[in-house]
Short mmCIF file of all heavy atoms in Angstrom, two decimals:
data_model
loop_
_atom_site.label_atom_id
_atom_site.label_comp_id
_atom_site.label_asym_id
_atom_site.label_seq_id
_atom_site.Cartn_x
_atom_site.Cartn_y
_atom_site.Cartn_z
N LEU A 749 -9.39 7.65 -3.99
CA LEU A 749 -9.65 6.26 -3.56
C LEU A 749 -9.26 5.27 -4.74
O LEU A 749 -8.70 4.21 -4.38
CB LEU A 749 -11.10 6.09 -3.26
CG LEU A 749 -11.48 6.77 -1.86
CD1 LEU A 749 -12.93 6.99 -1.76
CD2 LEU A 749 -10.97 5.97 -0.76
N MET A 750 -9.65 5.55 -5.94
CA MET A 750 -9.40 4.55 -6.96
C MET A 750 -7.86 4.38 -7.27
O MET A 750 -7.36 3.26 -7.32
CB MET A 750 -10.07 4.96 -8.34
CG MET A 750 -11.51 4.70 -8.28
SD MET A 750 -11.93 2.94 -7.74
CE MET A 750 -11.20 1.98 -9.09
N PRO A 751 -7.04 5.46 -7.30
CA PRO A 751 -5.58 5.27 -7.46
C PRO A 751 -5.02 4.49 -6.21
O PRO A 751 -4.13 3.68 -6.34
CB PRO A 751 -5.02 6.62 -7.42
CG PRO A 751 -6.14 7.53 -8.02
CD PRO A 751 -7.36 6.86 -7.50
N ALA A 752 -5.66 4.73 -4.97
CA ALA A 752 -5.23 4.01 -3.83
C ALA A 752 -5.44 2.57 -3.88
O ALA A 752 -4.52 1.68 -3.62
CB ALA A 752 -5.84 4.58 -2.48
N ALA A 753 -6.69 2.15 -4.46
CA ALA A 753 -6.93 0.75 -4.63
C ALA A 753 -6.01 0.17 -5.69
O ALA A 753 -5.50 -0.99 -5.38
CB ALA A 753 -8.43 0.66 -5.09
N LEU A 754 -5.85 0.78 -6.80
CA LEU A 754 -4.91 0.27 -7.77
C LEU A 754 -3.53 0.18 -7.27
O LEU A 754 -2.77 -0.91 -7.59
CB LEU A 754 -4.93 1.14 -9.01
CG LEU A 754 -6.28 1.18 -9.79
CD1 LEU A 754 -6.25 2.18 -10.90
CD2 LEU A 754 -6.62 -0.22 -10.28
N ALA A 755 -3.00 1.14 -6.53
CA ALA A 755 -1.64 1.02 -5.97
C ALA A 755 -1.49 -0.04 -4.97
O ALA A 755 -0.47 -0.72 -4.94
CB ALA A 755 -1.24 2.40 -5.38
N ALA A 756 -2.52 -0.28 -4.19
CA ALA A 756 -2.43 -1.32 -3.18
C ALA A 756 -2.54 -2.71 -3.86
O ALA A 756 -1.88 -3.63 -3.38
CB ALA A 756 -3.57 -1.16 -2.25
N GLU A 757 -3.33 -2.85 -4.90
CA GLU A 757 -3.33 -4.10 -5.65
C GLU A 757 -1.90 -4.36 -6.27
O GLU A 757 -1.47 -5.53 -6.20
CB GLU A 757 -4.28 -4.04 -6.81
CG GLU A 757 -5.81 -4.13 -6.26
CD GLU A 757 -6.78 -3.82 -7.38
OE1 GLU A 757 -6.35 -3.58 -8.53
OE2 GLU A 757 -8.01 -3.92 -7.02
N LYS A 758 -1.27 -3.31 -6.85
CA LYS A 758 0.08 -3.52 -7.39
C LYS A 758 1.07 -3.86 -6.23
O LYS A 758 1.89 -4.72 -6.38
CB LYS A 758 0.51 -2.21 -7.98
CG LYS A 758 1.94 -2.32 -8.61
CD LYS A 758 2.37 -1.04 -9.31
CE LYS A 758 3.76 -1.12 -9.82
NZ LYS A 758 4.15 0.12 -10.39
N ALA A 759 0.89 -3.19 -5.05
CA ALA A 759 1.82 -3.58 -3.94
C ALA A 759 1.60 -5.03 -3.52
O ALA A 759 2.61 -5.69 -3.24
CB ALA A 759 1.62 -2.62 -2.81
N ALA A 760 0.38 -5.38 -3.49
CA ALA A 760 0.13 -6.82 -3.01
C ALA A 760 0.77 -7.82 -4.04
O ALA A 760 1.34 -8.76 -3.65
CB ALA A 760 -1.48 -7.09 -2.93
N ASP A 761 0.57 -7.53 -5.39
CA ASP A 761 1.19 -8.38 -6.33
C ASP A 761 2.75 -8.44 -6.23
O ASP A 761 3.35 -9.50 -6.36
CB ASP A 761 0.83 -7.98 -7.77
CG ASP A 761 -0.63 -8.29 -8.08
OD1 ASP A 761 -1.29 -9.14 -7.42
OD2 ASP A 761 -1.16 -7.73 -9.05
N GLN A 762 3.36 -7.28 -6.06
CA GLN A 762 4.78 -7.13 -5.93
C GLN A 762 5.26 -7.88 -4.66
O GLN A 762 6.27 -8.57 -4.70
CB GLN A 762 5.21 -5.78 -5.89
CG GLN A 762 5.08 -4.97 -7.21
CD GLN A 762 6.05 -5.44 -8.21
OE1 GLN A 762 7.13 -5.93 -7.99
NE2 GLN A 762 5.63 -5.36 -9.53
N ALA A 763 4.44 -7.79 -3.60
CA ALA A 763 4.81 -8.44 -2.37
C ALA A 763 4.75 -9.97 -2.53
O ALA A 763 5.60 -10.77 -1.96
CB ALA A 763 3.89 -8.01 -1.17
N LYS A 764 3.76 -10.46 -3.22
CA LYS A 764 3.72 -11.90 -3.52
C LYS A 764 4.95 -12.35 -4.30
O LYS A 764 5.53 -13.45 -3.96
CB LYS A 764 2.42 -12.18 -4.34
CG LYS A 764 1.18 -12.11 -3.58
CD LYS A 764 -0.07 -12.43 -4.50
CE LYS A 764 -1.32 -11.91 -3.86
NZ LYS A 764 -2.42 -12.04 -4.74
N HIS A 765 5.39 -11.52 -5.39
CA HIS A 765 6.54 -11.99 -6.06
C HIS A 765 7.79 -11.82 -5.30
O HIS A 765 8.71 -12.43 -5.49
CB HIS A 765 6.61 -11.14 -7.38
CG HIS A 765 5.48 -11.37 -8.31
ND1 HIS A 765 5.28 -12.59 -8.89
CD2 HIS A 765 4.59 -10.60 -8.86
CE1 HIS A 765 4.18 -12.58 -9.69
NE2 HIS A 765 3.76 -11.39 -9.70
N GLY A 766 7.75 -10.97 -4.28
CA GLY A 766 8.93 -10.74 -3.42
C GLY A 766 8.98 -11.77 -2.29
O GLY A 766 9.84 -11.66 -1.44
N ASP A 767 7.99 -12.58 -2.31
CA ASP A 767 7.96 -13.63 -1.17
C ASP A 767 7.78 -13.01 0.19
O ASP A 767 8.51 -13.44 1.03
CB ASP A 767 9.04 -14.61 -1.34
CG ASP A 767 8.81 -15.90 -0.57
OD1 ASP A 767 7.55 -16.28 -0.45
OD2 ASP A 767 9.80 -16.58 -0.11
N TRP A 768 6.98 -11.97 0.33
CA TRP A 768 6.83 -11.32 1.60
C TRP A 768 5.86 -12.11 2.43
O TRP A 768 5.12 -12.97 1.98
CB TRP A 768 6.19 -9.88 1.36
CG TRP A 768 7.34 -8.95 0.76
CD1 TRP A 768 8.50 -9.20 0.28
CD2 TRP A 768 7.14 -7.56 0.78
NE1 TRP A 768 9.06 -8.13 -0.11
CE2 TRP A 768 8.26 -6.98 0.15
CE3 TRP A 768 6.09 -6.65 1.10
CZ2 TRP A 768 8.44 -5.65 -0.04
CZ3 TRP A 768 6.25 -5.24 0.97
CH2 TRP A 768 7.43 -4.79 0.37
N PRO A 769 5.86 -11.89 3.73
CA PRO A 769 4.86 -12.55 4.65
C PRO A 769 3.47 -12.43 4.13
O PRO A 769 2.99 -11.35 3.63
CB PRO A 769 5.04 -11.91 5.99
CG PRO A 769 6.44 -11.24 5.91
CD PRO A 769 6.59 -10.87 4.43
N ALA A 770 2.69 -13.51 4.31
CA ALA A 770 1.26 -13.48 3.84
C ALA A 770 0.40 -12.37 4.54
O ALA A 770 -0.41 -11.76 3.88
CB ALA A 770 0.57 -14.83 4.13
N ALA A 771 0.73 -12.10 5.74
CA ALA A 771 0.01 -11.00 6.48
C ALA A 771 0.20 -9.73 5.87
O ALA A 771 -0.76 -8.88 5.74
CB ALA A 771 0.42 -11.01 7.93
N THR A 772 1.47 -9.41 5.34
CA THR A 772 1.72 -8.14 4.58
C THR A 772 0.95 -8.08 3.31
O THR A 772 0.33 -7.02 3.02
CB THR A 772 3.21 -8.01 4.46
OG1 THR A 772 3.81 -8.10 5.63
CG2 THR A 772 3.52 -6.69 3.79
#
Side-chain angles (χ1 to χ4, degrees):
L749 288 162
M750 285 310 296
L754 294 172
E757 289 170 358
K758 179 180 178 182
D761 287 344
Q762 291 288 333
K764 287 177 194 172
H765 293 304
D767 199 27
W768 287 14
T772 304

